[in-house]
Amino acid sequence: TELRSWLGWAVIRAIYDGLSDFQVRRLESMGFGPFFRLEELAPDVALIQALKERWDPECHAFLFPWGHMVPTLEDMVRITGLRVDGQAVTGTTYTSYQEPVERLLELEVQGERSSLVQWTALQASLGVASARRQTGEGQAEHMERMTDDARAAMAEEEGEAADRDLWRFLTLVIGKLILGTRGDPVSCRCLPLLEDLSSVGNYAWGAALLAHLFDSLGTSSRVMGVAGFFPLLQVWAYYHLPSLGRGVARRRGAVPLLQRWQFCRDERSLRRQVTMIHDAMDTIPFGHVQWTPYVGEDDATQPWVERGRPYFDRDIWLHCYNIVVPLHHRLVTDWTVRVREQLDDWERRGKEVVSEAASDEDYYRAYARRYGAQVYRGTRRPLDPEGRIASLEGVLHSTIQQRDDLQAVVDQLRGELERAQQMVGGDSSSREDPGRSVLEGQLAAAAARAEDALAQLREREQELKTALA
């Protein structure tokens, strides 16, 4: 993982250094300048995995003993330098990207219905045919050779060839780093937004990165790592959870803030490291959590921060093509502030609670619908070591509640249908008022669909009872 990560950074940095001056200026005008000045950061796989196992996909936040925490748009813009203001990264997605890939990149996608291009083909089109280090070649010599190869393949003057270089390079950067996928193929879904190079800088690529990262964190914890720009998570943890001791500051005053950190290597096994990080998270005193780590930063040297400030400290929907996820900023509360609020609450003798449930039965029914399966699944019984009986009980309980709710819907639809039939009053009135006949037909169809669904739920209920028995 570390080797692949270093090669990715090295190739992109070498190609960037091989661009012509006017191409670099165009990228600067798009707002990518600070991001392209970043240097490689070795991945802390154990820290990323430990954070992933603390992610709650329902509220899109990390769950820690002291409360919720989540990387925000301010974290994003300060750590990476990518803009979070501007137009949402969204639009039409296509079944196949073969046409724009052939027209703009002069390459081919992996399949007829695909949005992926080969990483090696894309980097080769930019002059770097091989990223492997030659025998006896040091890191500096390796980088210099790749930069020379890229410079020789790049267009030296403005025009169609120079535009194609930028389309290829931006596809590589966005598809491999910013909105990266697992494995070697590079996504080219960004191409429709890149076609007009003069408008590329109008998009909030940093916000899209955060949406993509949130979506990747929501995958199964059994899948190692995350797809996307993992250094954001690492440096976010270095700033907010310094007690973990996973990173060390190396360049005071450098911006974006990712420039200041390097990973403290740990030679212990991955699983041992993950376990130790979890143990540390469970025992960190809340006073050691840094909720506002950027106080005192010189924002004058970070103009991208000022541009993004109107988007800070707000609940907002993050967009990345067909991924739209919420950023629940209200969940992220400084514990020291919360303690003062809790003490004030005690002095006010708390707040009177009035139940919204009309009866105990209503309460238990609502609770079972929301938490039944989770509560039963979490039960530990001596004769049920694998939790299978408890899991079946929870699913059965939830199914019964769904059946009762659907029965109420069926009863309501049947009542509405009877009233509609009484209003129609026979064939002659139906012909006089066809709207009533249409209403009757719609209600009958809806009632029939609901009854079919109810019958399926009853069958499912019986199957669960049989399995439980």
Side-chain angles (χ1 to χ4, degrees), residues 315-458:
D315 283 0
I316 194 169
W317 289 97
L318 304 174
H319 297 257
C320 179
Y321 305 116
N322 56 343
I323 297 172
V324 183
V325 296
L327 173 58
H328 293 306
H329 199 282
R330 66 183 182 277
L331 294 176
V332 184
T333 306
D334 187 337
W335 185 263
T336 57
V337 175
R338 187 175 298 176
V339 167
R340 290 196 296 271
E341 293 175 349
Q342 291 171 343
L343 290 175
D344 292 340
D345 177 74
W346 175 256
E347 296 297 330
R348 294 192 302 267
R349 300 181 182 87
K351 183 185 297 183
E352 183 179 2
V353 176
V354 179
S355 176
E356 297 178 357
S359 66
D360 289 347
E361 183 179 352
D362 290 340
Y363 168 77
Y364 289 122
R365 185 188 300 270
Y367 184 83
R369 276 198 302 271
R370 177 64 182 82
Y371 298 108
Q374 296 179 36
V375 172
Y376 280 97
R377 189 176 291 117
T379 304
R380 293 292 178 265
R381 301 183 179 183
L383 300 180
D384 187 21
E386 297 182 3
R388 293 179 179 177
I389 296 174
S391 177
L392 279 172
E393 286 180 339
V395 176
L396 174 60
H397 202 85
S398 296
T399 303
I400 292 172
Q401 297 303 319
Q402 294 173 29
R403 180 207 64 193
D404 291 346
D405 292 344
L406 190 53
Q407 181 66 65
V409 172
V410 170
D411 294 342
Q412 181 181 3
L413 285 171
R414 282 300 173 191
E416 295 290 341
L417 178 58
E418 290 178 4
R419 282 192 290 272
Q421 289 172 339
Q422 292 172 1
M423 291 172 62
V424 169
D427 294 340
S428 60
S429 61
S430 296
R431 287 191 294 269
E432 294 172 1
D433 188 356
R436 290 183 178 180
S437 179
V438 171
L439 174 62
E440 180 184 354
Q442 291 174 339
L443 284 171
R449 288 194 298 270
E451 287 177 339
D452 288 343
L454 182 60
Q456 293 176 12
L457 271 178
R458 285 173 175 161

Side-chain angles (χ1 to χ4, degrees), residues 135-183:
T135 304
E137 187 177 45
Q139 182 170 325
E141 291 80 8
H142 181 210
M143 288 293 296
E144 184 178 359
R145 176 176 58 81
M146 287 195 298
T147 299
D148 290 341
D149 292 344
R151 185 176 293 117
M154 296 288 185
E156 298 181 358
E157 298 180 357
E158 297 188 46
E160 184 178 348
D163 289 348
R164 183 167 294 108
D165 290 342
L166 288 177
W167 283 322
R168 290 170 174 172
F169 181 64
L170 286 170
T171 300
L172 182 63
V173 171
I174 295 172
K176 194 62 181 175
L177 285 186
I178 298 178
L179 308 178
T181 56
R182 290 186 180 88

Side-chain angles (χ1 to χ4, degrees), residues 34 37-39 79 250-251 254-261:
R37 288 194 290 270
L38 298 176
E39 295 183 1
I79 291 172
R250 57 179 176 178
R251 291 182 179 177
V255 293
L257 302 186
L258 190 146
Q259 296 275 59
R260 301 185 188 180
W261 294 90

Side-chain angles (χ1 to χ4, degrees), residues 222-240:
R222 292 189 295 271
V223 178
M224 297 300 291
V226 296
F229 193 68
F230 63 82
L232 172 68
L233 281 184
Q234 288 183 225
V235 177
W236 175 83
Y238 297 164
Y239 273 104
H240 291 271

